[in-house]
Amino acid sequence: MQRRKFIKKASLISIGLGIANKAYSKNYKKTNSLYNNITPLVIATWDVKNATKKAWKIIQNNQSSLDAVEQGCMIEEANENGQSVGKGGLPDRNGNVTLDACIMNSKGDCGSVVFLKNIKHAISLARKVMEDTPHVMLAGIGAEEFAYSIGFKKENLLTKASKKTWENWKKTSKYKPVINIENHDTIGMLAIDNNGNISGGCTTSGLAYKMSGRVGDSPIIGSGLYVDNEIGGAVATGLGEEVVKTVGSFLIVELMRQGHSPQKACEIAISRIVTKSDYKNFQVGYIALNKQGDTGCYSIQKGFSMTLCQSNNNVNIKSDSYTT
Ligand code: GLY
């Protein structure tokens, strides 16, 4: 490109960024407590202190951030009281629990499983896809068969409680995303280990009462999760369709690459969604961290939170939101 054209293009990009800044700054509250600048650390979507505690223990044991996020996510997948992740997750319209998950390591490798039935630890299977296959993503029966072939156990994921909730829903069969479903939606986790390496994981049973075969953002690398070990990582929760449309997690990492803090990057990514859609009826939340250990979280609606485990403190932090 000729020099003059290049300069013109660069100025337009700057103006564009200025507009984006304006859109989010009216709601931007500086949350200094989120700027800790200390590693190692673990962050996760929602109030999942047991999960972050587990991940922290792994890191204290000098294991990798990859082990930490896998084992942290497994805690929620095994928690039958959580109706949005793993065993006990709410089913699709036909009463089938189907899971989506992905994982990404500090080398940029990733693995993902979608529309997975009968296997509780989708996050571990995603790791196996990454490490033991030439592929990034396995779906449905193929993912399930792969799981059995390497020793995963078949399990009924529909608990009595979730079956009852589904049966009540069937009386009206009204399909509508529920904002902050039980204050606990997709679990996404990011960790920096003692070597400064970043990994991330994301696991969900997806939208309750979704159409059979529906896949959300959580197993889509770049949408539900993205990690770049040079820059940082981001992970999403909430209505996956909206996250996919804006490739939210990749966007946040790229914004951090351009120099934005994790907090500002999350806010810009949310502003992308609210300027494009009727945001009043759904929730999306992001969390992010950068290589230095700064963190951020932001959501469209009130009620989102992030759990942060750092220097042995395991705390839940209320997120700022676009709507107040
Ligand atoms: N964020 C989870 C989903 O939409 O499936």
Side-chain angles (χ1 to χ4, degrees):
M1 202 183 315
Q2 296 125 356
R3 195 177 132 77
R4 196 174 317 150
K5 265 199 194 149
F6 174 78
I7 290 169
K8 196 171 166 199
K9 202 168 171 204
S11 322
L12 283 174
I13 290 169
S14 313
I15 291 166
L17 277 175
I19 290 165
N21 279 341
K22 223 174 185 173
Y24 72 75
S25 60
K26 74 179 162 77
N27 283 293
Y28 176 61
K29 290 177 210 137
K30 201 164 182 221
T31 42
N32 281 318
S33 61
L34 299 181
Y35 290 85
N36 288 304
N37 216 269
I38 300 167
T39 61
L41 84 156
V42 178
I43 57 173
T45 52
W46 306 106
D47 191 353
V48 289
K49 290 200 268 301
N50 287 339
T52 46
K53 188 174 161 191
K54 178 71 186 184
W56 182 251
K57 218 168 148 193
I58 301 292
I59 284 175
Q60 290 306 289
N61 203 25
N62 230 5
Q63 288 175 251
S64 68
S65 53
L66 187 69
D67 291 336
V69 295
E70 180 192 359
Q71 294 205 33
C73 287
M74 284 171 73
I75 295 286
E76 287 305 313
E77 289 176 335
N79 173 10
E80 294 183 20
N81 296 325
Q83 288 188 304
S84 53
V85 175
K87 186 161 181 168
L90 289 170
D92 65 16
R93 291 168 197 199
N94 303 339
N96 294 312
V97 180
T98 67
L99 306 182
D100 296 334
C102 75
I103 199 159
M104 202 162 177
N105 70 15
S106 58
K107 287 187 254 161
D109 299 323
C110 42
S112 157
V113 288
V114 310
F115 193 52
L116 176 70
K117 291 180 188 165
N118 302 316
I119 304 290
K120 180 166 67 184
H121 289 305
I123 193 75
S124 303
L125 190 59
R127 181 170 177 175
K128 288 289 184 191
V129 171
M130 174 176 81
E131 292 178 342
D132 296 354
T133 80
H135 308 303
V136 162
M137 188 180 282
L138 287 182
I141 191 72
E144 200 178 331
E145 279 170 1
F146 171 59
Y148 300 140
S149 77
I150 54 172
F152 280 71
K153 231 179 52 202
K154 182 170 184 164
E155 253 181 273
N156 176 15
L157 303 180
L158 186 65
T159 55
K160 269 191 191 153
S162 286
K163 190 168 181 221
K164 204 167 160 203
T165 315
W166 169 63
E167 279 164 350
N168 279 338
W169 171 80
K170 275 203 297 182
K171 288 178 193 155
T172 55
S173 297
K174 277 211 182 100
Y175 179 71
K176 191 165 118 201
V178 184
I179 290 171
N180 294 337
I181 183 162
E182 296 177 340
N183 256 334
H184 182 304
D185 181 70
T186 303
I187 294 307
M189 188 176 280
L190 298 161
I192 306 183
D193 60 27
N194 288 323
N195 294 320
N197 287 325
I198 307 170
S199 301
C202 189
T203 182
T204 190
S205 52
L207 279 181
Y209 322 129
K210 60 197 173 187
M211 288 173 70
S212 176
R214 181 264 187 190
V215 171
D217 61 314
S218 303
I220 311 295
I221 301 296
S223 291
L225 167 75
Y226 197 70
V227 170
D228 183 325
N229 198 42
E230 299 295 309
I231 305 296
V235 68
T237 182
L239 186 61
E241 280 74 3
E242 299 300 328
V243 176
V244 169
K245 285 187 218 168
T246 49
V247 201
S249 295
F250 182 73
L251 172 64
I252 290 170
V253 173
E254 291 307 300
L255 287 163
M256 291 194 289
R257 192 190 307 278
Q258 290 167 18
H260 290 289
S261 68
Q263 181 65 32
K264 279 198 179 180
C266 289
E267 292 178 15
I268 296 171
I270 289 291
S271 84
R272 285 281 171 96
I273 298 175
V274 301
T275 51
K276 281 186 178 171
S277 55
D278 185 10
Y279 63 87
K280 294 202 177 71
N281 300 318
F282 62 85
Q283 173 69 300
V284 169
Y286 289 114
I287 63 170
L289 53 72
N290 66 15
K291 189 76 178 166
Q292 293 70 45
D294 302 325
T295 63
C297 60
Y298 200 64
S299 59
I300 298 177
Q301 318 291 349
K302 281 188 291 191
F304 178 49
S305 67
M306 171 177 86
T307 305
L308 178 146
C309 198
Q310 199 171 36
S311 312
N312 282 320
N313 298 311
N314 194 16
V315 290
N316 184 249
I317 297 164
K318 211 165 153 250
S319 171
D320 282 338
S321 56
Y322 186 83
T323 61
T324 46

